[in-house]
Amino acid sequence: MIRIRSLACSLLITLPITVQSIILPILDPRVFLSGGLAASLSHTAAVPIDVIKTKQQIDPQSYGDGFLDGLNNVIKLDGPGALLLGGVPTLSGYFVQGSLKYGLYGALKPTVASGLHLDNGNLGVLLIAAVLAECVASGALCPIEAVRIKQCCDPTYGKLNFIDAMTKFLTEDNDRGGRNSGGNSSGAFDALGPILLKMCPYSAGQLATYEVAKSSLVPLLPFELGLDGLGGGDYTFAS
C-alpha cells in the first residue's frame, strides 16, 4: 500500500500537466467575472444592430438589405421596442460565454504550454488555448443564442420573458424541421457548428493579436499599465 501511494505521488509530481496548473487559475473568480462583464456589456450595447441583422436574414423582403432601410422597417412594422428584443438573452448569454472564454483561456495557456513544452507566449499556444476555450464557451452560448433569435423573429417568444422563453424553447419541438417531437430539446444545439466556425477563428485571432500587441507595445510606454497577463480588467481591453 505504501509503495502504491509513493508511486501515485511521484506520478502526480512528474506529470507535465499538473493538477495545480489546471485548478488554481480556474478558481480565480476575478478572471471569469471580468471576462463575463466585458463580453456581456459590449454585446448588449449592439443589440439594436443585431435585431436588424437577424430580421433581415430571416425576412429580407420585409426588412430590406441596408442598415437604414432595416432600421426604418423594424420601427415601422414592429415598433421601436422591437430594437431591444433579445436583450436579456444577449446579456446573460454573453456573460456566460465571456466568462468561460476568457477564464478558460487564462487557465489553458499554461496547461497547453506545459504539454507542448513551449513558453506561455508562444503563438501556437495562444491559438490552441483560445480555440479550446471558445469551443466550451460557444457550446454554453448556443441554446441561449437560439432563444434570442426566437424572441427577435417569433411573436410568441417575443412576448415572453427570458426564463419563460427558454423553458418554452427547451420543452417543445424546436428543430424547425420537425424531426424531433415530444419535448426533445436537441434543436438547442443545431447551430453549434456554424457558431464554432464563426467564433473559433475570431477568438483565436482576437486573443493572440491582443497578447502579441500588448507584449510588443507595453514596454514602449513611458508609464506602467499594471496589466499582468490576460486577466482582471485586462479583459475589458481584449473584448
Side-chain angles (χ1 to χ4, degrees), residues 173-195:
D173 180 10
N174 51 49
D175 70 339
R176 301 186 189 92
R179 68 176 182 273
N180 295 320
S181 60
N184 193 321
S185 62
S186 62
F189 296 96
D190 282 351
L192 181 58
I195 288 178

Side-chain angles (χ1 to χ4, degrees), residues 146-198:
V147 172
R148 180 195 70 80
I149 294 174
K150 285 280 192 180
Q151 287 196 313
C152 285
C153 303
D154 188 336
T156 61
Y157 280 86
K159 298 176 182 178
L160 301 175
N161 61 48
F162 171 57
I163 300 299
D164 290 342
M166 176 63 78
T167 302
K168 175 180 172 64
F169 179 73
L170 293 177
T171 54
E172 71 176 7
D173 180 10
N174 51 49
D175 70 339
R176 301 186 189 92
R179 68 176 182 273
N180 295 320
S181 60
N184 193 321
S185 62
S186 62
F189 296 96
D190 282 351
L192 181 58
I195 288 178
L196 289 176
L197 289 175
K198 170 189 173 183

Side-chain angles (χ1 to χ4, degrees), residues 67-80:
F67 176 75
L68 293 179
D69 192 22
L71 175 62
N72 291 331
N73 287 331
V74 169
I75 295 175
K76 178 181 178 181
L77 297 174
D78 305 309

